Amino acid sequence: MREPADSGALLAWYDSHARDLPWRVGPADRARGLRPDPYRVWLSEVMLQQTTVAAVRGYFERFTALWPTVADLAAAEDARVMGEWAGLGYYARARNLLKCARAVAAEHGGRFPDTREGLMALPGIGPYTAAAIAAIAHDRPEVVVDGNVERVMARLRDIRTPLPAAKPAIRDAAAYLTPDARPGDYAQAVMDLGATICTPRNPACGLCPWMRACAGRAAGIADQLPAKTPKKAKPLRLGHAYVARRSDGAWLLERRAESGLLGGMLGWPGSEWGDAPAPAPPLEAAWRDTGAEARHTFTHFHLRLRVHVAEVGPDTTPGRGEFLPPAAFRPSDLPTVMRKVFDLARGAFDTAPR
């Protein structure tokens, strides 16, 4: 006979097994009265969207070393923040990060609102992030449902409807179990359970505090849940990138428009991404098609950028973009796909006949 799931069993497990994360106040410190910093909770939640804890840890530590408070981040230069964000992807998050920090600093005296509704009024904060900050930072009994929580609830309640159609039933299950006592610890406990025990493959059911309550385990299908609607194949888009190096070592770059994919980021002049022919180069030069393609996958499509290179004289004037001298150019400031272009172009320059 299955036992009913309850938050107390999970919290007892969390008290002994909570992950040590740089943005987290652990259960022992929290019991002693130490409160989480809403800024650090917010920053970690934004970074963790569509990204793993392992990938985020280093970025979070760099960001908080450079900008320890939301006021510090609000005062930062856009280009510096975008450069530090490079590699995390989903660059609209970085733009919204600055908008939100500046709104908190200018309109809220540097203090995040302590309710879900107040948090959702800030730029770039949606229902999940607002609920997570309200619960974790302010101990509000909000229902927090990320991918880990979806998996745990689908298995616990044997919810077989495929995602995304199962989301309402999963949320109802999560809401039923969310306690009034220690809701911040509880929200993190369910996430930890999904990340360390109730994993996508080979869940360690024997170590789970909800093992006897799990309907998916009782039915023998826990590792098959949650079911998912098959994804459509991602389309392929093609494009061209032009990399010009001046004889004094300067590189020709341009800043992309604020709106759209990679908005506001530095990049190489090139074409729209589709199936259009190569556009005119950004300046007259002896351009060389390297034959190499920078390949990258975004959320909704695959991209291949054909790389063209040219060496030009010190007085060359471009038709678009501007030359950045070596001292002003850091490859790490480029988004990942543009760094891939740079690596291929640099290799082509190094192997060019002399």
Side-chain angles (χ1 to χ4, degrees):
M1 183 175 179
R2 287 191 296 112
E3 298 176 356
D6 70 272
S7 59
L10 182 63
L11 285 166
W13 172 85
Y14 178 72
D15 287 342
S16 298
H17 298 91
R19 289 180 291 175
D20 182 14
L21 302 174
W23 48 83
R24 174 179 288 177
V25 174
D29 287 334
R30 194 154 186 159
R32 287 193 289 268
L34 186 62
R35 311 308 296 170
D37 180 353
Y39 168 63
R40 294 171 71 87
V41 175
W42 162 73
L43 182 60
S44 68
E45 288 295 338
V46 174
M47 286 185 167
L48 284 165
Q49 293 168 17
Q50 307 293 327
T51 317
T52 65
V53 166
V56 163
R57 189 184 293 265
Y59 284 90
F60 178 86
E61 291 173 341
R62 281 202 306 278
F63 261 72
T64 51
L66 288 167
W67 305 294
T69 70
V70 69
D72 294 324
L73 182 59
E77 293 183 3
D78 290 39
R80 181 71 189 280
V81 174
M82 299 298 282
E84 292 295 333
W85 188 272
L88 271 177
Y90 302 92
Y91 292 96
R93 290 182 297 160
R95 296 195 297 275
N96 284 330
L97 195 79
L98 280 167
K99 291 177 183 177
C100 185
R102 289 164 182 165
V104 171
E107 301 167 19
H108 297 275
R111 296 174 64 88
F112 281 84
D114 63 0
T115 65
R116 182 176 62 85
E117 294 77 14
L119 289 160
M120 283 188 64
L122 294 171
I125 293 186
Y128 164 76
T129 304
I133 298 169
I136 297 169
H138 302 294
D139 243 3
R140 302 281 189 182
E142 297 290 348
V143 182
V144 182
V145 182
D146 70 349
N148 284 314
V149 178
E150 285 183 340
R151 185 168 58 257
V152 170
M153 293 299 152
R155 291 172 176 177
L156 183 66
R157 299 303 192 205
D158 192 11
I159 298 171
R160 304 188 187 189
T161 304
L163 287 168
K167 286 182 179 289
I170 287 173
R171 180 178 173 78
D172 287 346
Y176 180 80
L177 286 165
T178 299
D180 290 328
R182 300 180 63 190
D185 281 347
Y186 171 80
Q188 294 172 103
V190 186
M191 295 178 192
D192 279 13
L193 187 70
T196 64
I197 300 294
C198 196
T199 50
R201 298 180 181 177
N202 302 316
C205 296
L207 301 176
C208 179
W210 280 342
M211 175 182 67
R212 298 186 185 280
C214 184
R217 177 179 175 274
I221 60 168
D223 60 350
Q224 300 171 39
L225 298 175
K228 296 181 180 180
T229 302
K231 293 181 179 180
K232 295 180 180 179
K234 293 182 180 181
L236 173 65
R237 298 183 186 177
L238 305 176
H240 300 265
Y242 293 96
V243 182
R245 183 174 67 182
R246 217 163 52 185
S247 55
D248 60 1
W251 298 90
L252 178 62
L253 290 128
E254 65 178 3
R255 194 166 297 280
R256 296 176 65 86
E258 287 295 324
S259 61
L261 203 57
L262 306 185
M265 301 290 291
L266 280 175
W268 308 105
S271 67
E272 297 294 326
W273 300 343
D275 54 8
L283 50 77
E284 291 188 9
W287 288 96
R288 180 161 55 91
D289 183 346
T290 66
E293 291 180 334
R295 301 187 177 196
H296 191 72
T297 296
F298 293 95
T299 308
H300 301 299
F301 64 94
H302 301 291
L303 175 66
R304 295 183 186 176
L305 289 180
R306 189 85 169 195
V307 180
H308 308 260
V309 298
E311 300 231 38
V312 298
D315 299 322
T316 302
T317 301
R320 56 189 282 196
E322 63 176 325
F323 281 100
L324 292 184
F329 171 58
R330 297 190 309 169
S332 60
D333 287 347
L334 299 173
T336 302
V337 64
M338 296 300 173
R339 287 207 308 272
K340 292 178 179 179
V341 171
F342 177 68
D343 290 341
L344 292 170
R346 186 166 51 180
F349 283 125
D350 291 344
T351 58
R354 298 184 183 278

